[in-house]
């Protein structure tokens, strides 16, 4: 007991008191009472850290308890529950720091590199397939106006029996489909709108003229748009870039090149970026510090769920196993369905266990530090900052700020005091 | 409840074949969902593992899963490079030194202190236990600044013993709590009988309490081991000027250029995980027991 008391006294108890005292002084040792605390609540960076901790506390403990409960209940129904539990529980052995590294690779923005963006991209490209002409510099040059993003439309109106020439440029030769044939000037056909869409560029060629050697653009999707903005017909250009709308009734039309022709493939979500999920563009610095929800926070929460769900599952699973089977059987005998048994019998009996998990997770999340350092890139860390990290930054990465850092530590301490009180009461009982 | 009962009776009257089909379908859908979840849990770690076996330039050209179709592109180059350079092996050794010393100290001190808490009668015993429970959740951050100054005065700052002592101090409350809870389950009659037979406290501790307490000690040791092995903050603060840093700190110093250093980062991260994972798989049972016993930490 002797050495324990000595160590606890010298390294835990005395410093805790010293930190509280220290938080009332500035760096040159002057007593400034609540001065550091005023700075704490007046600094946007620290408010951002507090806000992020608040987001963590609101989102994470309930999610992880929920997942743990679901896993614990579901694993009771499978034969390979030991294997499943081992897999989900395994990340508990890994450091938070390494978890950050692991998930940073998972979250890479480029769909070629990050596995989540690759998965999202596969789905996105099926729903919105990228266009044949998804080229960065493609633009209209003759007979057309508009942009690749918004779609292009013919400069001139056309009616049945006439032809249009639509020239594009900014297409590297390598990007011209191999099936493309030489472009040909379109000939008018009675009762039809005809035309040619082609790569209007060749050395020594003229803009707006189909010069020899210039290729047609196959596979281009075209819409025939009536004067009231209605799409009357659609078609796709042939291998030589020629297109033809038959049976066009009277009136004048424009030709539109659908934006889908130029749609870029899925470029990847920047999961570790700080774009806010709540609209905050109109707010000042303090308003943003209080109300923004950066995406990086939620991504980090997912990584943390990966790490801690196994913990919740194991504890809740043990609670489930300890439940009185007879009570459950009785409920079933009375004819309660699975869902009813769970809702009215299992869940209330499990409540104490769920609360333990929930509270443990709150403490856990208040002290969160390593995973932010390793998961979130420097460019986002300011916005994804948390209290423990800010305390380290203020107290140890500069020569000043020990008083303020102490105040931040005390603030963190105050947040866990209710939990301490709760634990002590539970032990006393 | 009557409504429920009626509903159930109607349900049980349904053709048994359909009920069986539905149950089968229900079970297989649970299986499918859990397989997907298990995959989601495995993929990130596999990603790190595969990345650590790929040349750095491959990280920029394609995702790690491409290596599954081109296994010949994998190489042990990164591991060779890391073990040739001294930095990471040295860091691994530093981590091991800190972890083993802290674990041994915590286990020894806590098992003795818990013995005193349970089997010796002294004034203020219950009060001390309340303090220990309270200390269990005190954030590490609360003591960093004063202890750093204290360490500077006694020349412990920047030294491994300083880091070890900090870990031991913050590990003790939980350790004593865990051991005390276990010891209270040992019948006091056992010790009384030994005392009558003339055994002194030390003999009773060695011969009775320690052997009985083995499972709890194992849980505690594993917990403490993982906790210290995986630490970043304490070493980051107290080893600021020391060239010998643990592996987490060593990797941290490379993070600024995540993509460019990915060969080193992924490989070193995986190396840093191997021992905790081995400990986890070897002693999973005790680990789970520790988790269940100390859910408040």
């Amino acid at each position: 007991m002797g050495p324990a008391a000595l160590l606890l006294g010298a390294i835990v108890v005395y410093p805790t008191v010293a930190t509280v005292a220290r938080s009332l002084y500035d760096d040159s040792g002057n007593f400034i009472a609540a001065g550091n605390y005023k700075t704490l609540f007046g600094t946007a960076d620290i408010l951002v850290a507090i806000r992020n901790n608040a987001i963590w506390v609101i989102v994470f403990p309930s999610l992880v308890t929920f997942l743990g409960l679901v896993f614990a209940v579901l694993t009771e129904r499978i034969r390979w529950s030991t294997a499943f539990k081992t897999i989900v529980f395994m990340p508990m052995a890994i450091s938070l720091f390494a978890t950050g590294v692991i998930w940073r690779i998972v979250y890479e923005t480029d769909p070629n590199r990050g596995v989540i963006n690759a998965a999202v991209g596969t789905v996105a490209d099926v729903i919105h397939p990228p266009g044949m002409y998804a080229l960065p510099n493609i633009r209209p040059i003759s007979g057309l106006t508009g942009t690749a993003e918004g779609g292009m439309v013919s400069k001139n109106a056309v009616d049945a029996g006439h032809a249009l020439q639509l020239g594009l440029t900014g297409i590297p030769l390598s990007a011209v489909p191999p099936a493309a044939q030489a472009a040909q000037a379109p000939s008018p056909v009675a009762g039809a709108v005809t035309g040619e869409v082609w790569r209007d560029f060749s050395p020594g060629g003229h803009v707006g003229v189909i010069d020899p050697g210039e290729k047609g653009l196959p596979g281009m999707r075209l819409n025939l748009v009536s004067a009231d903005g209605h799409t009357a017909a659609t078609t796709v250009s042939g291998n030589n870039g020629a297109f033809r709308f038959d049976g066009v009734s009277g009136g004048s039309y424009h030709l539109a090149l659908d934006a889908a022709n130029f749609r870029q493939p899925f470029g990847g979500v920047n999961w570790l970026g700080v774009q806010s999920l709540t609209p905050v563009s109109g707010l000042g610095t303090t308003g943003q510090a209080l109300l923004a929800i950066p995406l990086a926070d939620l991504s980090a929460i997912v990584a943390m769920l990966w790490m801690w769900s196994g913990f919740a599952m194991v504890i809740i699973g043990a609670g489930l196993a300890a439940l009185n089977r007879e009570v459950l059987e009785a409920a079933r005998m009375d004819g309660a369905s699975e869902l009813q048994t769970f809702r009215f019998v299992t869940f209330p009996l499990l409540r104490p266990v769920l609360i333990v998990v929930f509270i443990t997770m709150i403490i856990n999340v208040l002290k969160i530090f390593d995973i932010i350092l390793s998961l979130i890139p420097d460019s986002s860390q300011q916005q994804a900052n948390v209290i423990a990290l800010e305390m380290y930054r203020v107290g140890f990465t500069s020569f000043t700020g020990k008083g303020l850092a102490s105040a931040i530590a005390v603030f963190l301490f105050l947040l866990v005091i209710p939990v301490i009180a709760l634990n002590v009461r539970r032990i006393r009982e | 409840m009557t409504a429920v009962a009626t509903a159930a009776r109607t349900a049980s009257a349904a053709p048994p074949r359909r009920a069986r089909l539905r149950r089968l379908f229900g079970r297989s859908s649970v299986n499918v969902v859990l397989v997907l979840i298990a995959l989601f849990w495995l993929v990130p770690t596999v990603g790190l593992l595969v990345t650590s076996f790929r040349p750095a330039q491959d990280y920029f050209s394609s995702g790690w899963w491409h290596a599954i179709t081109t296994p010949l592109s994998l190489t042990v180059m990164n591991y060779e490079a890391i073990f040739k350079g001294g930095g990471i092996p040295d860091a691994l050794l530093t981590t091991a030194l800190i972890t083993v010393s802290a674990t041994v100290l915590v286990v020894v001190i806590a098992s003795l202190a818990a013995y005193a808490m349970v089997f010796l009668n002294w004034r203020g015993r219950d009060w001390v236990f309340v303090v220990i429970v309270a200390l269990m959740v005190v954030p590490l951050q609360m003591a960093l600044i004063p202890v750093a100054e204290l360490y500077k005065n006694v020349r412990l700052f920047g030294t491994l013993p300083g880091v070890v002592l900090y870990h031991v101090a913050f590990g003790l409350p939980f350790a004593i709590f865990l051991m005390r809870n276990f010891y209270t389950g040992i019948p006091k009659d056992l010790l009384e009988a030994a005392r009558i037979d003339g055994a002194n406290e030390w003999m009773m501790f060695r011969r009775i309490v320690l052997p009985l307490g083995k499972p709890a000690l194992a849980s505690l040791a594993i917990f403490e081991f993982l906790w210290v092995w995986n630490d970043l903050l304490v070493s980051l603060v107290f080893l600021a000027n020391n060239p010998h840093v643990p592996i987490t700190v060593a990797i941290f110093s490379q993070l600024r250029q995540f993509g460019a250093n990915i060969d080193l980062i992924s490989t070193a991260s995986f190396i840093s995980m191997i021992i905790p994972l081995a400990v986890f798989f070897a002693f999973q049972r005790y680990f789970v027991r520790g988790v269940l016993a100390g859910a408040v930490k």
Side-chain angles (χ1 to χ4, degrees), chain A residues 1 3-5 7-8 10-20 22 67 70-71 74-75 77-80 82 84-106 108 110-116 118 302 305-307 309-311 314-316 318 331-332 334-337 340 356-357 360 363-364 367-370 373-375 378 388-389 391-392 395-396 401-403 405-406 409-413 416 419-420 423-424 426-428, chain B residues 1 4-5 7-8 27 30-31 33-35 37-45 47-48 51 58-66 109 112-114 116-117 122 126-152 157 162 165-166 168-170 172-173 176-177 180 223 226 229-233 236-237 247-249 251-252 255-256 258-259 262 265-266 269 272-273 276-277 280-281 284 287-288 291-292 294-297:
Chain A
M1 199 67 219
L7 269 178
L8 287 177
I11 299 186
V12 186
V13 180
Y14 149 73
T16 300
V17 177
T19 299
V20 175
R22 186 65 189 258
L67 277 184
V70 169
F71 292 175
L74 289 187
T75 45
R77 281 140 215 262
I78 55 168
R79 296 226 177 104
W80 49 290
T82 314
F84 180 85
K85 281 181 180 164
T86 305
I87 290 171
V88 174
F89 196 50
M90 184 194 68
M92 276 287 291
I94 302 173
S95 63
L96 276 162
F97 182 79
T99 300
V101 171
I102 288 174
W103 279 83
R104 194 138 154 196
I105 297 173
V106 170
E108 280 285 355
D110 184 345
N112 279 323
R113 291 158 65 189
V115 69
I116 290 192
V302 169
L305 282 174
W306 178 78
M307 187 163 178
S309 294
F311 170 85
V314 164
I315 294 193
I316 297 170
R332 284 205 192 101
D334 283 349
S337 70
Q340 284 167 331
V356 165
V357 173
T360 311
I363 306 176
N364 215 325
K367 298 195 271 193
I368 191 159
F369 171 82
D370 322 36
L373 264 184
S374 60
L375 174 67
D378 285 355
L389 181 55
M391 187 264 161
Y392 167 73
F396 293 100
K402 294 277 193 289
S406 299
V410 172
F411 179 70
L412 191 63
F413 185 49
V416 300
V419 181
I420 295 181
N423 276 347
V424 168
R426 224 172 42 195
I427 297 300
R428 280 224 152 138
Chain B
M1 221 40 181
V4 173
R27 188 162 300 162
V30 165
N31 270 303
V33 168
L34 290 187
V35 165
I37 292 171
L39 275 181
F40 183 81
W41 247 259
L42 278 177
V43 161
T45 320
L48 179 78
T51 302
D58 282 14
Y59 186 73
F60 292 98
S61 54
S62 62
W64 55 266
W65 55 92
H66 291 282
I109 299 177
L112 285 168
M117 302 273 330
W122 40 282
D126 295 338
W127 188 83
V128 166
F129 184 61
V130 168
V131 171
I132 283 173
V133 169
L135 291 182
M136 259 179 6
V137 279
V138 171
L140 218 77
Q141 282 81 1
M142 265 316 267
L144 287 176
I145 291 173
V147 171
E149 279 161 9
L150 184 77
Y151 276 3
K152 275 174 191 155
F157 191 82
L165 284 183
Y166 200 85
V168 172
F170 272 89
L172 272 180
I176 297 175
F177 174 78
R180 179 196 173 272
F223 239 67
L226 292 178
W229 185 282
N230 291 334
D231 161 76
L232 171 70
L233 177 59
L236 206 54
V237 168
I247 195 158
T248 44
V249 180
I251 304 171
F252 172 68
L255 273 191
R256 209 155 275 265
F258 190 80
I262 190 68
I265 293 171
S266 61
S269 297
S272 82
M273 285 160 45
L277 281 177
F280 169 79
F281 282 114
Q284 200 179 350
F287 185 51
V288 169
V291 165
L292 293 177
V296 269
K297 175 86 189 169

Side-chain angles (χ1 to χ4, degrees), chain A residues 133-139 147-149 169-172 175 262-265:
Chain A
Y133 296 96
L135 304 166
N137 297 318
I138 193 164
R139 59 184 185 276
T147 60
E149 292 83 42
T169 188
I171 308 165
F262 314 110
R263 190 189 288 132
Q264 298 288 331

Side-chain angles (χ1 to χ4, degrees), chain B residues 6-280:
Chain B
T6 331
R9 224 166 287 136
T10 333
S12 60
R17 184 135 149 259
R18 226 171 77 196
R20 208 182 314 145
L21 263 178
R22 199 196 298 153
R23 205 174 317 138
L24 195 72
F25 179 75
R27 188 162 300 162
S28 65
S29 65
V30 165
N31 270 303
V32 169
V33 168
L34 290 187
V35 165
L36 289 179
I37 292 171
L39 275 181
F40 183 81
W41 247 259
L42 278 177
V43 161
T45 320
V46 173
L48 179 78
L49 177 63
V50 176
T51 302
S52 73
F53 281 104
R54 300 182 83 203
Q57 66 269 21
D58 282 14
Y59 186 73
F60 292 98
S61 54
S62 62
W64 55 266
W65 55 92
H66 291 282
I68 296 166
T69 49
T70 54
L72 287 180
S73 67
L74 295 176
T75 161
V76 291
M77 199 167 72
N78 300 334
Y79 286 86
E80 275 173 12
I82 269 193
F83 282 107
K84 255 180 218 151
I88 296 297
D90 182 83
L92 206 59
L93 191 70
T94 309
T95 298
L97 268 177
I98 295 176
T99 309
V100 171
S101 348
T103 307
V104 169
L105 279 174
V106 163
V107 168
V108 169
I109 299 177
S111 58
L112 285 168
Y115 180 87
M117 302 273 330
V118 177
F119 300 110
L120 301 184
N121 283 314
W122 40 282
R123 266 182 54 205
R125 189 178 73 166
D126 295 338
W127 188 83
V128 166
F129 184 61
V130 168
V131 171
I132 283 173
V133 169
L135 291 182
M136 259 179 6
V137 279
V138 171
L140 218 77
Q141 282 81 1
M142 265 316 267
L144 287 176
I145 291 173
V147 171
E149 279 161 9
L150 184 77
Y151 276 3
K152 275 174 191 155
N153 292 334
V154 296
R155 299 222 184 129
L156 272 175
F157 191 82
T159 67
L160 299 193
V163 174
V164 170
L165 284 183
Y166 200 85
H167 279 304
V168 172
F170 272 89
L172 272 180
F174 167 72
I176 297 175
F177 174 78
L178 190 81
M179 292 314 296
R180 179 196 173 272
N181 281 358
F182 192 85
Y183 286 170
T184 41
I186 298 176
K188 294 221 165 157
D189 306 355
L190 222 59
L191 275 87
E192 279 312 310
R195 193 167 280 142
I196 292 165
D197 288 347
N200 62 23
E201 296 293 339
W202 176 244
M203 279 164 73
M204 290 193 292
F205 176 73
R206 280 275 341 245
R207 296 278 165 78
I208 300 171
V209 176
L210 210 54
L212 286 174
K214 259 185 193 157
L217 284 176
S219 301
L220 172 61
I222 291 158
F223 239 67
E224 193 61 27
F225 185 93
L226 292 178
W227 189 28
V228 177
W229 185 282
N230 291 334
D231 161 76
L232 171 70
L233 177 59
V234 175
S235 296
L236 206 54
V237 168
F238 293 125
L239 291 180
N241 307 317
N242 194 320
H244 301 287
V245 291
I247 195 158
T248 44
V249 180
I251 304 171
F252 172 68
S253 62
Q254 306 291 332
L255 273 191
R256 209 155 275 265
Q257 303 197 317
F258 190 80
N261 291 339
I262 190 68
D263 46 347
L264 194 151
I265 293 171
S266 61
T267 311
S269 297
F270 197 78
I271 292 173
S272 82
M273 285 160 45
I274 290 174
I275 291 182
L277 281 177
V279 168
F280 169 79

Side-chain angles (χ1 to χ4, degrees), chain A residues 29-403:
Chain A
N30 303 313
F31 182 78
I32 51 169
N36 284 322
Y37 293 90
K38 273 186 201 138
T39 316
L40 194 160
F41 290 108
T43 311
D45 279 354
I46 303 181
L47 288 179
V48 164
I50 296 174
R51 172 206 71 202
N52 286 330
N53 265 96
I55 294 173
W56 275 89
V57 168
I58 292 168
V59 178
F60 181 75
S62 33
L63 268 185
V64 80
T65 314
F66 173 76
L67 277 184
L69 180 61
V70 169
F71 292 175
V73 170
L74 289 187
T75 45
E76 287 203 321
R77 281 140 215 262
I78 55 168
R79 296 226 177 104
W80 49 290
S81 65
T82 314
F84 180 85
K85 281 181 180 164
T86 305
I87 290 171
V88 174
F89 196 50
M90 184 194 68
M92 276 287 291
I94 302 173
S95 63
L96 276 162
F97 182 79
T99 300
V101 171
I102 288 174
W103 279 83
R104 194 138 154 196
I105 297 173
V106 170
Y107 280 135
E108 280 285 355
T109 306
D110 184 345
N112 279 323
R113 291 158 65 189
V115 69
I116 290 192
N117 275 321
V120 174
T122 309
V123 176
D125 285 349
V126 168
I127 299 171
H128 291 294
M132 270 179 90
Y133 296 96
L135 304 166
N137 297 318
I138 193 164
R139 59 184 185 276
I141 186 163
S142 55
L144 275 171
T145 165
T147 60
E149 292 83 42
M152 302 176 194
V153 67
S154 63
K155 275 184 186 160
N156 300 320
V158 66
D159 46 18
H162 290 89
L164 278 181
Q165 295 185 18
L166 308 173
L168 290 159
T169 188
I171 308 165
L173 257 183
S174 59
V176 176
Q181 294 167 359
Q184 286 172 351
S187 39
V189 175
V193 169
T194 53
E196 170 75 16
V197 50
W198 89 109
R199 178 175 181 261
D200 187 7
F201 176 82
S202 57
H206 300 278
V207 171
V209 178
I210 298 175
D211 297 298
E214 293 183 346
K215 293 244 166 121
L217 296 175
M220 190 71 80
R221 291 164 60 185
L222 296 116
N223 301 332
L224 188 68
V225 182
S226 63
D228 59 4
H230 209 78
T231 298
T234 59
T235 190
V236 174
S237 61
N239 278 349
N240 58 358
F243 58 86
R244 172 174 176 168
F245 292 94
D246 283 320
V248 175
S249 50
S252 75
Y253 297 88
H254 276 87
L255 277 172
L257 302 190
D258 206 299
N261 291 308
F262 314 110
R263 190 189 288 132
Q264 298 288 331
F266 177 74
V269 176
N270 182 11
W271 298 103
L272 302 176
V274 294
Q275 60 275 38
S276 175
L277 300 176
T278 45
V280 288
S281 49
L283 302 172
T285 327
T286 315
Q288 291 197 6
L290 292 175
L291 295 174
I293 300 179
L295 181 60
D297 273 19
L298 298 191
S299 304
I301 286 175
V302 169
M304 194 74 171
L305 282 174
W306 178 78
M307 187 163 178
W308 283 96
S309 294
F311 170 85
M313 174 188 70
V314 164
I315 294 193
I316 297 170
L320 267 179
L323 283 189
N324 191 339
R325 294 279 139 186
E326 284 171 15
V327 179
L328 297 184
E329 275 312 306
R332 284 205 192 101
M333 294 288 277
D334 283 349
S337 70
E338 292 258 354
L339 220 65
Q340 284 167 331
T341 316
F342 181 78
R343 169 75 186 77
F344 295 107
V345 184
T346 314
F347 189 76
L349 287 175
L350 268 184
R351 256 177 75 127
V353 179
L354 298 180
I355 290 173
V356 165
V357 173
F358 192 81
I359 290 174
T360 311
M361 289 302 136
I362 290 181
I363 306 176
N364 215 325
V365 153
L366 285 173
K367 298 195 271 193
I368 191 159
F369 171 82
D370 322 36
I371 198 171
I372 306 292
L373 264 184
S374 60
L375 174 67
I376 312 284
D378 285 355
S379 53
S380 305
Q381 262 182 24
Q382 189 90 335
Q383 279 301 309
N385 203 354
V386 286
I387 300 175
L389 181 55
E390 181 67 12
M391 187 264 161
Y392 167 73
R393 288 255 165 78
V394 174
F396 293 100
T397 56
S398 64
F399 289 103
T400 59
K402 294 277 193 289

